[in-house]
Every structure is written in C-alpha cells, then in structure tokens.
C-alpha cells in the first residue's frame, strides 16, 4: 500500500487526500489550524461570507425603481452578528471537510510537518510531525506539499490588529471603520473595498497602477470604478504606499510621491507569500524559486522524485479551484492513473465585487495586442430583457472565438451573478465548443444567460471572409 503524507489540509491537501484514499492509499494529512486550511478558516470562505452580507445591501440601492420603498438612512449593520456568522460558517465548513476525509479513512494529525530525510535523494522520505504531545516521524512513499501562503507584510506597515490590518484581522473589529484605506487594488483589495463601500463606509483605494484590478479585463474594471465613483469611494491612482503610521485619530498612509492619505483604518492587501520556510526543503534537495514558491510541472511534480506540491505554495494561479485540481492531479499521477496535465487557460475565475467580474480563457488584452487572433463580441446587459426587469444597467457579456473555426477561446461576464454565468462559457472553452453550439442551445427567456447564447448567434453570423 502506497504511504502518502500531505503537508497541509487546505483545498489542495484535502482534495488530494480524497483521491488518494479512494485509490487505496494509506493517507495522512498534517494540518496546523484545521481542515480546510487558511482558505476555509481565514481567507476565501470568511471573505465571501462577509461579502454576502454586503451584497444584501447592494441589492437595496435600486429597489425604488422596482416600486419598493426603502430608506437606506435607517439601514443598520450589526457587525458582531456579521462577524459571528463569518466565523461560524468557516468552522462549520472545516468540520464538514474533516468528517468527509475521515469517512474515507484518512488519518488527520493536528500539528506541523517538515521533512527530516537524513540525506537528499532517498526513495522513501520521512516527515517529522510536531504536535502538542511530541514529535512523530512518518515514512512516506509520496509527499504532497500543500502548505499554502500567508498575507504579505510590508516592513513599513506591519499589521497591529487594531488600526493597521490584514484581511484575516478584519473580523475582530467591533465597529465598522469610519474611513477605510485599502492598500492594494488587486482582487482582494477590490473585493473588500466593494464590500465596505456597500456597507456605507467611506473607502479610499490606494492603487500603485492607473486603475483598479490591473490584471483583469479593462472594461470590467471600468464598470467597477464607475460603481465606486457613484457610491463615493475614492481611487488614488499611481499611488505606491511607502509606509503606514499610527496617529491619535487613526492612520496616515505615506506615498512614494510625498502625498499623505489619512484614514481611521488601513487594510493591507499587497499579496501573499508562500509558507515554504522551515519545512525542511533543504533536507530533500528542493530549492525554492523566486519569491519562495516551489516550482512544479503541469502534473504537480517538484524536482525531487516522490515529492509533489500544489496550491498557493507553488504560486500557480492562487485560486482554491486551481489548488484542488493540482492536488487531485498529483495523486492521480503518483498512483499511476491516467491524468491530463492542468490547463490554466481553461480556469474560470471570479472577482466577488458588486457587480461580480468573471473571466475564463484568453484575455481581451492578448487579443488586442495581436498575441491571439480572435473574433469578439460585447453585449451590454442593459439590452437584456431580464436585466431590464431587475433594474440592472451595468455589466456585459463578452465572448471570444477563433476566426476560422468559431471555437470559443474565452469570455468575460460582469453581472451580479457572474460567478454562475461564466460556467457555460467555461464549458465551451474546456471542451472546444463553437459559437454555433452556444447559438443553437436553448436558454430560458427571459434570463441573463440569454446574452451568452445571443453572443454566440452574433458571432455565428459573422462572415469569416470579412
């Protein structure tokens, strides 16, 4: 029986454990904080639960148009209840995952793991597991490193849990910030800026680039900036934060160009660093790459036989869905099953702002630069019958296809439920379906998904000789 030790119980670790157990391996997961890892306990699940509360408020802004009278001035937020729900759901999800893996016969150890091979190059590896009761050494034929990542800390802006915060400390606040400065305009920064904006907090986004979401679709980012502007949120552009200082009233954000932004609280969203220190990589001959990330191939192998890595510690698209797939692929490969290497161009991703922004496949930027030839269509949601009924004026559906064959190669959706609407486009990209397939598929009328089939019809009508 193949002995497998998994270092970390996040999405990469527990999904890998389920696959390995179902294929008859002897599986042990070592996790310090709880099953589900940081994703479930501190990051993805808590943040999306918090965003769900702000989403309920977001829906209220346009209710007057639908004939429902509301007074936003009387709306109040019970922050301890919101935060209690966030923490409660995270713990419940972690417990569900633990129960599932234990039903499959996986051994779960609460502790910290590190390699303790006596010398690099051994066929069988050893993992030392430190728990409250002592240290145990586990022999392993296969080891999966799935240790995740933690929020990056700037030397001049070390979080104190009171005024200078990382995104894991927000849920300890007893009251909403009077003025929240969000340092960083990537996905995490944009999501929290959007959530607190909808909760009525004064928000300033500090972006080192010329727009929010610099790595996302530019048209989608423009929609979000329009919402921010309407809601009173300020975006400070080309503003690189040098340091954040505590003051009597709150914080001061000192920018590289000499500007100073005052706020009551600062939220640091400047990326993550991999948890690859102090896990004994030198004992097995693995040299971390740039930024401390572990280099892997498309089936999650490291440079050392028998050792795989998956999830945020590899720096490969730091998404829970990608981590899970990396972990599954690692186990399929290690146990001799047929497996297709991971295809990052088929990964669907979502930004949980209001509205949401979902993408899959080739980007608009790659098309505009000439890197990828494609035909494109962009349909505003304002022309969709269902959107009109619900009072939706912002958002769109984009679809990209190959010029000659019509094979769908990508798309973008900006809508309140973009995370759900992106699935048919992702299915098309994954399975190399054509715009004809989309065009000839029946969609419910009226529905927002009707814009996807309509985009297919408009691309299908295109003359390839034009």
């Amino acid at each position: 029986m193949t002995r497998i030790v998994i270092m970390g119980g996040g999405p990469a670790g527990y999904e890998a454990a389920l696959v390995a157990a179902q294929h008859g391996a002897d599986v042990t997961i070592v996790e310090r904080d709880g099953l589900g890892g940081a994703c479930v306990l501190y990051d993805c699940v808590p943040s999306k639960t918090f965003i769900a509360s702000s989403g309920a408020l977001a829906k209220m802004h346009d209710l007057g148009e639908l004939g429902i009278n509301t007074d936003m001035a009387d709306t109040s937020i019970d922050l301890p209840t919101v935060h209690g729900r966030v923490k409660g759901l995270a713990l419940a999800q972690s417990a569900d995952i633990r129960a599932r893996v234990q039903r499959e016969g996986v051994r779960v150890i609460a502790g910290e793991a590190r390699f303790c091979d006596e010398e690099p190059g051994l066929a069988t590896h050893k993992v030392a597991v430190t728990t409250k009761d002592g240290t145990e050494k586990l022999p392993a034929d296969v080891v999966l490193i799935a240790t995740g990542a933690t929020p990056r800390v700037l030397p001049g802006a070390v979080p104190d849990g009171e005024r200078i915060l990382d995104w894991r400390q927000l849920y300890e606040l007893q009251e909403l910030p009077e003025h929240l400065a969000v340092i960083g305009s990537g996905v995490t920064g944009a999501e929290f800026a959007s959530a607190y904006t909808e909760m009525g907090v004064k928000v300033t986004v500090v972006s080192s680039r010329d727009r929010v979401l610099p790595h996302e679709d530019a048209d989608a980012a423009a929609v979000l900036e329009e919402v921010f502007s309407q809601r009173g949120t300020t975006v400070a552009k080309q503003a690189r934060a040098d340091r954040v200082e505590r003051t009597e009233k709150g914080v001061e954000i000192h920018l590289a160009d000499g500007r100073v932004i005052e706020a009551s609280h600062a939220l640091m969203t400047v990326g993550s660093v991999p948890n690859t220190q102090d896990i004994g990589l030198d004992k097995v001959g693995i040299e971390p790459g740039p930024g401390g990330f572990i280099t892997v191939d498309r089936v999650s192998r490291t440079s050392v036989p028998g050792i795989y890595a998956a999830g945020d510690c590899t720096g490969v698209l730091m998404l829970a869905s990608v981590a899970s797939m990396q972990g599954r692929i690692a186990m399929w490969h290690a146990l001799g099953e047929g497996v297709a290497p991971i295809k990052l161009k088929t990964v669907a991703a979502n930004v949980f702002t209001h509205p949401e922004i979902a993408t899959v496949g080739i980007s608009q930027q790659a098309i505009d630069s000439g890197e990828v030839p494609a035909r494109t269509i962009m349909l505003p949601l304002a022309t969709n019958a269902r959107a009109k009924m619900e009072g939706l004026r912002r958002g769109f559906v984009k679809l990209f296809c190959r010029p000659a064959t019509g094979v769908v190669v990508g798309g973008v959706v900006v809508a309140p439920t973009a995370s759900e609407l992106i699935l048919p486009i992702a299915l098309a990209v994954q399975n190399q379906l054509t715009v004809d397939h989309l065009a000839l598929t029946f969609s419910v009328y009226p529905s927002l998904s009707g814009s996807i089939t309509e985009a297919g019809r408009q691309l299908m009508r295109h003359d390839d000789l034009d």
Side-chain angles (χ1 to χ4, degrees):
M1 182 181 292
T2 304
R3 298 166 299 180
I4 296 176
V5 174
I6 299 174
M7 302 167 66
Y14 74 75
E15 289 288 350
L18 291 172
V19 168
Q22 289 163 2
H23 285 79
D26 176 18
V27 188
T28 300
I29 291 180
V30 183
E31 167 57 44
R32 178 182 57 194
D33 298 323
L35 263 283
C39 172
V40 169
L41 292 169
Y42 310 120
D43 298 339
C44 185
V45 170
S47 66
K48 303 316 176 273
T49 306
F50 183 79
I51 289 167
S53 292
S54 69
L57 288 170
K59 295 175 183 177
M60 295 177 64
H61 286 290
D62 301 318
L63 289 180
E65 179 183 335
L66 304 183
I68 300 173
N69 297 319
T70 60
D71 185 355
M72 292 297 290
D74 290 339
T75 302
S76 62
I77 297 170
D78 184 347
L79 196 62
T81 298
V82 172
H83 287 171
R85 182 170 182 268
V86 166
K87 296 173 184 177
L89 285 178
L91 291 174
Q93 182 70 5
S94 177
D96 287 346
I97 295 169
R98 171 180 282 272
R100 171 76 193 284
V101 299
Q102 287 182 331
R103 280 199 306 270
E104 297 293 335
V106 175
R107 182 188 180 195
V108 179
I109 301 178
E112 297 185 355
R114 67 190 314 274
F115 289 102
C116 59
D117 288 16
E118 296 177 0
E119 60 182 81
L122 298 176
T124 300
H125 303 286
K126 288 186 179 180
V127 177
V129 179
T130 302
T131 69
K132 62 180 181 180
D133 299 321
T135 300
E136 177 183 1
K137 292 185 178 181
L138 303 176
D141 304 304
V142 175
V143 178
L144 174 68
I145 305 169
T147 48
T150 54
R152 180 175 169 232
V153 175
L154 296 181
V158 178
D160 57 21
E162 296 176 352
R163 294 288 181 172
I164 305 172
L165 309 160
D166 65 33
W167 62 81
R168 296 180 179 178
Q169 298 170 330
L170 288 171
Y171 313 114
E172 302 304 321
L173 294 179
Q174 298 301 306
E175 297 179 345
L176 286 172
E178 179 182 344
H179 178 189
L180 180 66
V182 179
I183 317 298
S185 60
V187 172
T188 301
E191 288 182 344
F192 279 111
S194 178
Y196 278 100
T197 293
E198 298 302 339
M199 288 185 170
V201 173
K202 180 180 179 182
V203 176
T204 298
V205 180
V206 181
S207 173
S208 62
R209 307 294 184 88
D210 60 355
R211 63 177 174 92
V212 297
L213 297 173
H215 301 297
E216 302 295 326
D217 184 87
D219 293 322
V223 172
L224 184 59
E225 286 195 7
E226 181 185 349
V227 173
F228 280 167
S229 178
Q230 183 186 36
R231 301 279 196 265
T233 289
T234 301
V235 180
K237 301 180 180 181
Q238 301 289 359
R240 184 174 296 279
D242 267 355
R243 68 185 190 279
V244 180
E245 295 180 352
R246 288 281 300 264
T247 66
E248 290 185 5
K249 296 182 179 180
V251 295
E252 288 183 347
I253 297 94
H254 295 262
L255 307 182
D257 59 8
R259 287 180 287 170
V260 177
I261 297 174
E262 296 182 354
S264 66
H265 296 75
L267 171 60
M268 307 304 298
T269 63
V270 289
S272 300
V273 293
N275 298 325
T276 54
Q277 298 291 325
D278 300 322
I279 61 171
L281 293 181
D282 58 316
K283 296 289 187 179
V284 291
I286 293 178
E287 182 71 28
F293 293 100
I294 298 173
T295 302
V296 293
D297 63 14
R298 292 175 61 199
V299 292
S300 303
R301 288 179 298 189
T302 68
S303 58
V304 176
I307 300 179
Y308 295 73
D312 287 358
C313 66
T314 68
V316 177
L317 282 188
M318 298 169 80
L319 299 171
S321 58
V322 173
S324 298
M325 186 60 74
Q326 282 183 295
R328 296 187 201 105
I329 287 174
M331 293 301 99
W332 284 323
H333 186 272
L335 296 171
E337 296 294 319
V339 60
I342 195 167
K343 294 172 62 178
L344 297 180
K345 289 184 178 179
T346 66
V347 174
N350 193 71
V351 185
F352 288 86
T353 47
H354 305 295
E356 295 178 358
I357 299 169
T359 56
V360 68
I362 299 301
S363 69
Q364 180 78 62
Q365 182 180 10
I367 296 169
D368 292 343
S369 67
E371 179 184 344
V372 178
R375 289 192 273 119
T376 70
I377 189 73
M378 177 173 168
L379 299 181
L381 281 190
T383 64
N384 178 287
R386 181 68 176 272
K388 291 176 183 176
M389 296 170 190
E390 297 186 3
L392 303 178
R393 293 187 177 85
R394 297 186 184 90
F396 57 79
V397 170
K398 280 187 185 181
L399 197 62
F400 313 138
C401 72
R402 294 290 185 191
T405 63
V407 170
V408 178
V409 293
V412 182
V413 178
V414 179
T417 55
S419 52
E420 309 293 343
L421 290 170
I422 198 65
L423 181 59
I425 302 177
L427 279 169
V429 172
Q430 174 71 34
N431 296 286
Q432 297 186 312
L433 304 182
T434 67
V435 291
D436 296 52
H437 289 118
L438 288 178
L440 297 173
T441 298
F442 284 95
S443 61
V444 172
Y445 182 85
S447 68
L448 297 184
S449 60
S451 288
I452 297 174
T453 55
E454 174 61 22
R457 284 191 290 273
Q458 292 200 25
L459 286 175
M460 184 176 69
R461 290 207 323 255
H462 184 92
D463 184 353
D464 290 329
L465 298 179
D466 286 352

